[in-house]
Amino acid sequence: MSSHILEQFLNENLDELKSKGLYNVIDPLESPNGPMITINGKELVNLSSNNYLGLATDEQLKNAATEAIEKYGVGAGAVRTINGTLKLHVELEEKLAEFKHTEAAIAYQSGFNCNMAAISAVMDKNDAILSDELNHASIIDGCRLSKAKIIRVNHSDMEDLRAKAKEAKESGQYNKIMVITDGVFSMDGDVALLPEIVKIAEEFDLITYVDDAHGSGVLGDGAGTVKHFGLSDKIDFQIGTLSKAIGVVGGYVAGKKNLIDWLKVRSRPFLFSTSLTPADVAASKKSIEILMESTELNQKLWENGNYLKKGLKELGFNIGNSETPITPCIIGDETLTQQFSKRLNEEGVYAKAIVFPTVPQGTGRVRNMPTAAHTKEMLDKAISIYEKVGKEMGII
Ligand code: PMP
């Protein structure tokens, strides 16, 4: 028998979300998550994946994963600190450090738990964290878990950051103060003002933490936002995910050796959750090798991003202020955004509606993620469907 109070809670809340157009329906894929996908037997231009470089289906990655499965099996068998550390994990971490120009790196099972792990391993209730208001949910949860005082900073507002850093420092209330930001903000595609953030951090002795989930493989010829600004020796924590441009799954911190040593003994998902599978690790390592060898995929990503942006902007869509290939089409109203996305889908484009609470209320958008794997024909098809549906719904 299920609890009456739980039934009431679930039904009321689900009904409310559905009536406001805020209930996300999940469409399972019947194909790889490539530039074209199949859902319910229908082929669609895919503009919703984070597989920025198309590496999720790359033959070299698949071969590396298959070889690792043959050699080590499918599971790592234990947490990292018991005996779930294969030589492959160590090799991946060495490769990540090289990729990020740091002394060392540590891998986690996802980008999400990496943020939960890393923030709470270093910050505690006697500390404060200055956090951009648009930071990713995993950063917010990591900050909460640490029990540090969270000071929200207006998005990319350097005056606000400086004033709040000064106030926190001069209050003498906190042992440590951290400034934490996404490298690339995934809902708008804008880039954090890292040179200014570093200056403020130096002035007030702040620990610097950059989550570059959407910048790695994209900015800095693929090495990420920190490298893009030439700040590799100025950022204490460089966070990344292996699930987006890298094309696999996992997360990591790159930084000084003593920081990584500390995370290995104090970050809880490293200590208490089974390590990444051999296939994930081998494929991720191969992916980073590909990225470090050539910028070809990176250049193709930018070319495709610029092409799609130009096409949508010329049609009259509001594509916001993206500085990266991420291309939002800002609609505003949540229900209209959902309807627009549904009509695009019916016509052959998979571009997901992103609405509150993922983005602020009233800023609903259909977010487009062109990748290196798209062809011009695919993008042209998407642009012409945008034109048809946009006109039909009176959006352009
Ligand atoms: N940080 C940011 C900025 C992200 O956008 C995401 C993914 N949406 C994550 C962390 C979580 O990464 P993962 O999917 O590897 O858990």
Side-chain angles (χ1 to χ4, degrees):
M1 199 191 82
S2 63
S3 143
H4 171 70
I5 198 80
L6 176 64
E7 285 294 307
Q8 192 184 344
F9 165 82
L10 295 174
N11 291 338
E12 279 176 15
N13 285 290
L14 284 169
D15 286 349
E16 191 192 341
L17 285 182
K18 285 175 187 166
S19 73
K20 287 185 180 163
L22 300 177
Y23 183 78
N24 255 334
V25 179
I26 295 172
D27 309 306
L29 271 63
E30 293 143 17
S31 65
N33 203 344
M36 300 296 292
I37 48 174
T38 309
I39 294 175
N40 289 326
K42 197 168 144 197
E43 223 197 8
L44 305 156
V45 181
N46 178 17
L47 290 173
S48 283
S49 97
N50 295 312
N51 179 18
Y52 287 118
L53 301 176
L55 286 166
T57 53
D58 184 90
E59 287 305 318
Q60 296 177 76
L61 269 69
K62 288 203 275 187
N63 289 338
T66 310
E67 276 171 27
I69 287 177
E70 289 300 337
K71 188 163 176 191
Y72 296 104
V74 291
V79 304
R80 290 289 302 271
T81 48
I82 306 286
N83 68 354
T85 297
L86 300 171
K87 268 195 86 178
L88 267 182
H89 290 93
V90 178
E91 286 166 15
L92 170 66
E93 288 168 341
E94 285 168 359
K95 196 47 76 187
L96 285 166
E98 208 186 314
F99 178 50
K100 289 286 160 179
H101 305 271
T102 59
E103 287 175 9
I106 178 172
Y108 293 94
Q109 302 85 342
S110 78
F112 200 106
N113 86 8
C114 174
N115 278 326
M116 307 283 279
I119 301 168
S120 63
V122 169
M123 305 303 279
D124 63 36
K125 64 178 177 6
N126 301 311
D127 299 327
I129 304 174
L130 296 150
S131 176
D132 188 286
E133 64 180 335
L134 295 190
N135 277 343
H136 187 256
S138 56
I139 296 180
I140 297 169
D141 288 3
C143 291
R144 286 180 181 153
L145 192 63
S146 75
K147 300 199 174 75
K149 166 83 178 163
I150 301 165
I151 304 169
R152 258 165 67 111
V153 177
N154 295 338
H155 178 52
S156 282
D157 180 341
M158 293 302 113
E159 265 179 43
D160 194 43
L161 174 63
R162 196 177 180 284
K164 287 173 177 163
K166 186 170 190 287
E167 191 185 334
K169 186 78 188 170
E170 287 175 357
S171 76
Q173 251 178 295
Y174 307 111
N175 286 346
K176 306 189 277 307
I177 307 172
M178 176 183 271
V179 56
I180 187 160
T181 183
D182 279 22
V184 171
F185 290 88
S186 63
M187 296 304 146
D188 293 281
D190 55 324
V191 179
L193 302 172
L194 290 188
E196 288 85 343
I197 292 174
V198 164
K199 252 188 233 153
I200 295 169
E202 284 176 344
E203 190 178 347
F204 298 105
D205 192 22
L206 312 178
I207 299 167
T208 47
Y209 188 113
V210 177
D211 177 352
D212 209 24
H214 292 273
S216 294
V218 178
L219 285 167
D221 288 331
T225 311
V226 173
K227 171 79 188 331
H228 166 77
F229 286 115
L231 294 168
S232 302
D233 57 341
K234 303 271 185 191
I235 301 296
D236 297 307
F237 289 75
Q238 288 197 54
I239 309 303
T241 173
L242 301 170
S243 68
K244 302 188 193 298
I246 304 299
V248 194
V249 72
Y252 60 91
V253 183
K256 287 243 168 70
K257 185 173 177 306
N258 57 3
L259 170 65
I260 304 307
D261 286 347
W262 177 252
L263 295 175
K264 283 182 179 167
V265 293
R266 274 294 177 274
S267 57
R268 294 168 72 81
F270 192 84
L271 298 169
F272 300 115
S273 180
T274 298
S275 41
L276 281 166
T277 72
D280 295 330
V281 177
S284 298
K285 186 173 156 240
K286 174 50 81 185
S287 181
I288 293 157
E289 282 165 6
I290 294 172
L291 251 76
M292 287 173 70
E293 269 164 27
S294 160
T295 57
E296 193 185 322
L297 291 173
N298 180 262
Q299 282 166 13
K300 186 83 183 122
L301 167 68
W302 280 89
E303 206 181 287
N304 282 346
N306 290 336
Y307 188 79
L308 181 71
K309 270 188 190 163
K310 187 166 173 279
L312 294 181
K313 200 170 176 189
E314 278 172 7
L315 287 175
F317 285 102
N318 173 7
I319 61 163
N321 302 312
S322 174
E323 300 166 79
T324 59
I326 295 173
T327 307
C329 245
I330 300 164
I331 311 288
D333 178 76
E334 277 77 22
T335 307
L336 186 63
T337 308
Q338 301 273 22
Q339 283 166 352
F340 184 58
S341 164
K342 186 162 172 277
R343 279 292 297 127
L344 289 173
N345 191 325
E346 285 162 2
E347 294 295 327
V349 171
Y350 194 84
K352 196 88 177 153
I354 312 265
V355 295
F356 179 80
T358 310
V359 293
Q361 213 139 14
T363 70
R365 70 216 40 208
V366 173
R367 189 183 52 162
N368 302 285
M369 316 285 262
T371 72
H374 286 93
T375 61
K376 286 276 175 308
E377 290 69 35
M378 293 172 191
L379 297 176
D380 283 337
K381 182 173 176 201
I383 292 166
S384 71
I385 292 172
Y386 257 94
E387 180 174 17
K388 178 177 176 197
V389 177
K391 285 184 176 157
E392 170 195 301
M393 294 182 67
I395 293 167
I396 52 168

